[in-house]
Each structure stands twice: as C-alpha cells, then as structure tokens.
Amino acid sequence: MTVDMTVDELLALLASCEDFYDSLGDDGDPIPILPHSLQCAARLSEVAPDDDELIVAGLVHDIGHRLQPGHPVEHGTVAADAVRDLLGERVAALVELHVPAKRYLVTVDDSYRAELSTGSTASLARQGGV
C-alpha cells in the first residue's frame, strides 16, 4: 500500500518517533526510533558522504514501526511503501531490504553478529533470526 506523504508529514512522523520504541516489550532497542534513525543516518554520512539516498534511507528506515506498531518483520515494507512516492524507488528499496540485509549479515559475518547490541539481537529474533 503506497502512502501519499509530503516532506512536512514525513518530518512530523520522524519527530513522533522520539519516544517510540521498536518493540512490544522490554527486549527491544534501549533507545527510541528517532535517535536510532539519526545515528544510522549520521554513520552512513561518514561512510558514504556522497550517497544522499543511502543517508536518507538510513534516516527513515524504521518509520514502519510507528506506522504499523506490532509488526517487526513487516516494518521495512511498511516504511518503504510510505516513502516510495516521495523519496523514490532506490530509497524505498534500501528501506525495505534493511531487515533481510541484517539477517543475511548475521548469518555470514560472525564479527557483525558479535557487534549487535542486546536490543538488536532481540529484534533480530522477532524478525526471523539468522
């Protein structure tokens, strides 16, 4: 389902994630979605400073948790559908694939898996695990 959204509405949605967590219980990430999203975008700007679409995808990748709470596996697809018309197909694809990418990385890269936070490990289990 594609959502018609303006930039102002997207920014308001991001702001509403300030005190919104990605979990249904106490085992989720210990930080709210907005700080996590800002941290992700900042890190991506360090490693790929010329890739605006990647940086923006990092910023909006978890808004699906806010749009459709209680659906940890589908949150990437929900977020992608919400931003596709506004931010383009590449941003939407990056957002949609961030959960499968995480699952793949923890499967093939022991060092990546070892660096996951407790909250990220818990969310990985809810998202289907290795």
Side-chain angles (χ1 to χ4, degrees):
M1 169 185 86
T2 302
V3 177
D4 289 327
M5 187 181 309
T6 67
V7 171
D8 287 340
E9 291 168 334
L10 178 57
L11 292 174
L13 177 62
L14 279 168
S16 77
C17 292
E18 173 96 34
D19 294 317
F20 193 85
Y21 295 76
D22 79 341
S23 82
L24 299 175
D26 295 331
D27 61 347
D29 285 334
I31 60 170
I33 300 267
L34 180 58
H36 167 69
S37 298
L38 292 169
Q39 179 185 40
C40 183
R43 180 68 180 122
L44 289 169
S45 72
E46 292 170 1
V47 299
D50 297 326
D51 194 342
D52 293 338
E53 290 178 326
L54 180 64
I55 296 165
V56 169
L59 180 63
V60 301
H61 76 282
D62 270 348
I63 64 169
H65 287 296
R66 186 71 168 120
L67 291 169
Q68 199 171 39
H71 296 274
V73 175
E74 298 89 4
H75 79 276
T77 301
V78 170
D81 288 346
V83 302
R84 183 169 278 109
D85 287 347
L86 181 63
L87 301 177
E89 190 56 44
R90 180 167 179 251
V91 171
L94 290 166
V95 168
E96 186 165 11
L97 294 173
H98 82 274
V99 172
K102 175 182 171 182
R103 293 182 67 204
Y104 171 79
L105 284 171
V106 299
T107 302
V108 301
D109 186 342
D110 291 338
S111 64
Y112 181 83
R113 182 174 47 240
E115 291 185 21
L116 291 181
S117 69
T118 302
S120 190
T121 301
S123 70
L124 174 66
R126 289 191 305 275
Q127 295 162 349
V130 176

